[in-house]
Amino acid sequence: MCQLLGMNSHLPASLTLSFGGFSQRGGCTDHHADGWGIAFFESEAATPDIPGKGIRYFVDKEGAATSPIANMLRSYPIKSHNVVAHVRKATVGDISLENCHPFVRELWGRYWVFAHNGDLKNYAPQLHGSFHPVGSTDSELAFCWLLQELDKSHVGVPTVEELTLTLAELVPQIAKHGTFNFLLSNGQALWAHASTKLHYVLRQHPFHEIHLKDDDVSVDLASLNSPQDRLAIVVTEPLTTNEDWVVMAPGELQVFVDGALAGCCKSTRRPELVSL
């Protein structure tokens, strides 16, 4: 199956270090070599501390470990509040650019970015709105249905809390068809849902040295971050060998805002949320 990587940050942050290790799983330290992609939500220069609506978006059907585009991103520190990345092992849909995650659509005047790990069996939802897949993956089909149903569920632009409640009701309707680990972001928040395997770590002051699992690299995060920095990293398999990664439970839906946990619930029932 595929692997996921996401980041949600209090201040604009670079994912260069984590992406460097993660991209090695696209054909070097692991076999997810059937394409990859990454999307960065960027703020405007005049308001760098406010999460932006605009994105930089890169996809490639070549494995991330050998892709020249991925190599460029490993050394180019794009600063972002929210990032979603994916390395693909094709199970549904051929190896082509249109089947590379993450997928991007517009809803309520914002870009939405989605990446999925897993297989959905006998999944054929009715699409009758503005969202239709371009490629042939079950993942993009699920994304289009989610956005269609979110749009139907809210008259105006909802808050992050309202979106989380709605997602908690919609996600089980997809997850009953198989494995539905996913990352979703609209630039305001990062949602993560675990069916089988997903981990997260929260990094904040005081920062420590970390050692990458997929690359023989150790880095002192204190030299790269200020006391005001705070971020959450979400990934299929832990990226480092010396951090306390939290294992998400099956059916758990987490939302990260401003580099911290903003709410947690089971996607099988309407949840209680912590105030944002």
Side-chain angles (χ1 to χ4, degrees), residues 52-70:
K53 295 182 179 181
I55 61 170
R56 291 184 196 255
Y57 175 49
F58 304 88
V59 291
D60 192 354
K61 64 180 181 179
E62 185 174 333
T66 56
S67 164
I69 302 172

Side-chain angles (χ1 to χ4, degrees), residues 92-150:
V92 177
D94 59 2
I95 301 172
S96 61
L97 205 57
E98 62 267 26
N99 286 334
C100 292
H101 309 217
F103 303 105
V104 179
R105 295 291 192 280
E106 177 274 333
L107 176 61
W108 298 310
R110 278 192 171 272
Y111 288 116
W112 288 74
V113 175
F114 174 88
H116 166 226
N117 162 29
D119 289 319
L120 303 174
K121 306 297 184 185
N122 303 312
Y123 182 64
Q126 296 233 334
L127 298 178
H128 47 75
S130 303
F131 307 102
H132 296 276
V134 175
S136 55
T137 65
D138 51 355
S139 307
E140 189 181 16
L141 183 60
F143 180 38
C144 289
W145 184 82
L146 271 179
L147 290 186
Q148 172 183 279
E149 298 305 305
L150 284 174

Side-chain angles (χ1 to χ4, degrees), residues 152-175:
K152 286 165 54 178
S153 299
H154 298 279
V155 176
V157 179
T159 64
V160 171
E161 297 100 321
E162 291 169 333
L163 285 167
T164 305
L165 291 170
T166 306
L167 284 169
E169 295 179 343
L170 294 175
V171 167
Q173 299 179 53
I174 302 175

Side-chain angles (χ1 to χ4, degrees), residues 206-229:
F207 293 96
H208 305 285
E209 182 178 86
I210 62 170
H211 183 77
L212 291 179
K213 183 178 180 180
D214 297 272
D215 206 352
D216 189 18
V217 173
S218 294
V219 176
D220 182 6
L221 293 179
S223 66
L224 302 175
N225 295 276
S226 72
Q228 291 73 42
D229 284 310

